[in-house]
Amino acid sequence: MGTLLWWRCTGCKAGELISIGRRSRGLDIAGYAEAARSGELGPNLKSVFESGIPAGCEIEDEDVAYRCPSCGGIVQGMRISVRSRGRGWVRYRIRPGPCPGCGKDLPGWEAARLLGTGDICSHLNHILATGCPKCGRRGIAPVVVNYGGTLSLNIGPRRG
């Protein structure tokens, strides 16, 4: 299950979309196969996808998020999990793009701690308390969709 968070400043229209966990969507096998063949997913996933998914394999993908060490922004990423013939899941992280806040690549993303629902709630609570990171306006329109788990947001009266 997953969490989808979106917020938008009612003044300058800055905002962000953060998604973690699995959502109700189909797995794009063809897209992953092409990315694996081109080397974008690394050698382990290339062997899984290069000639079609082997019989008895289960594959899941999920959204993950990291915190940028340079600016504190949220960087979205993906993780693919593979289970072969009833064995345990093996998880592979896919290299995330640059931070949307500062444009820097995320160093050490392979071992970085993934953000959880609590981290996302804290992030949104901070924005609600301090205002838009871009313009400082307190008119924030948050939208949170949770597909499982618990969210605790400090959403009170909005001041514009």
Side-chain angles (χ1 to χ4, degrees):
M1 298 319 236
T3 299
L4 177 69
L5 170 131
W6 173 84
W7 68 268
R8 173 81 52 212
C9 175
T10 57
C12 72
K13 306 300 183 208
E16 67 187 328
L17 175 71
I18 305 168
S19 177
I20 61 170
R22 292 177 284 147
R23 291 181 282 155
S24 300
R25 68 177 190 279
L27 185 66
D28 180 15
I29 298 296
Y32 284 129
E34 181 61 33
R37 280 192 291 277
S38 71
E40 290 178 48
L41 304 183
N44 293 323
L45 287 175
K46 183 175 182 179
S47 67
V48 170
F49 285 108
E50 68 185 344
S51 56
I53 297 174
C57 267
E58 295 176 63
I59 305 221
E60 293 182 352
D61 63 350
E62 67 180 300
D63 298 322
V64 296
Y66 306 89
R67 185 164 308 277
C68 176
S70 297
C71 73
I74 304 294
V75 180
Q76 284 289 157
M78 293 290 299
R79 181 167 68 175
I80 294 179
S81 300
V82 179
R83 182 165 61 179
S84 178
R85 294 174 179 76
R87 297 184 185 131
W89 290 97
V90 178
R91 291 176 171 81
Y92 301 96
R93 295 183 186 190
I94 298 173
R95 175 184 294 278
C99 174
C102 67
K104 294 183 180 177
D105 284 329
L106 194 67
W109 60 271
E110 301 95 333
R113 185 178 77 80
L114 300 177
L115 300 182
T117 302
D119 299 306
I120 290 176
C121 289
S122 293
H123 179 73
L124 180 59
N125 285 332
H126 177 74
I127 290 170
L128 291 172
T130 61
C132 174
K134 185 174 178 184
C135 73
R137 182 182 172 101
R138 294 200 183 244
I140 301 295
V143 176
V144 179
V145 179
N146 189 33
Y147 300 102
T150 304
L151 294 174
S152 33
L153 299 176
N154 299 329
I155 299 176
R158 292 191 189 118
R159 297 175 296 228

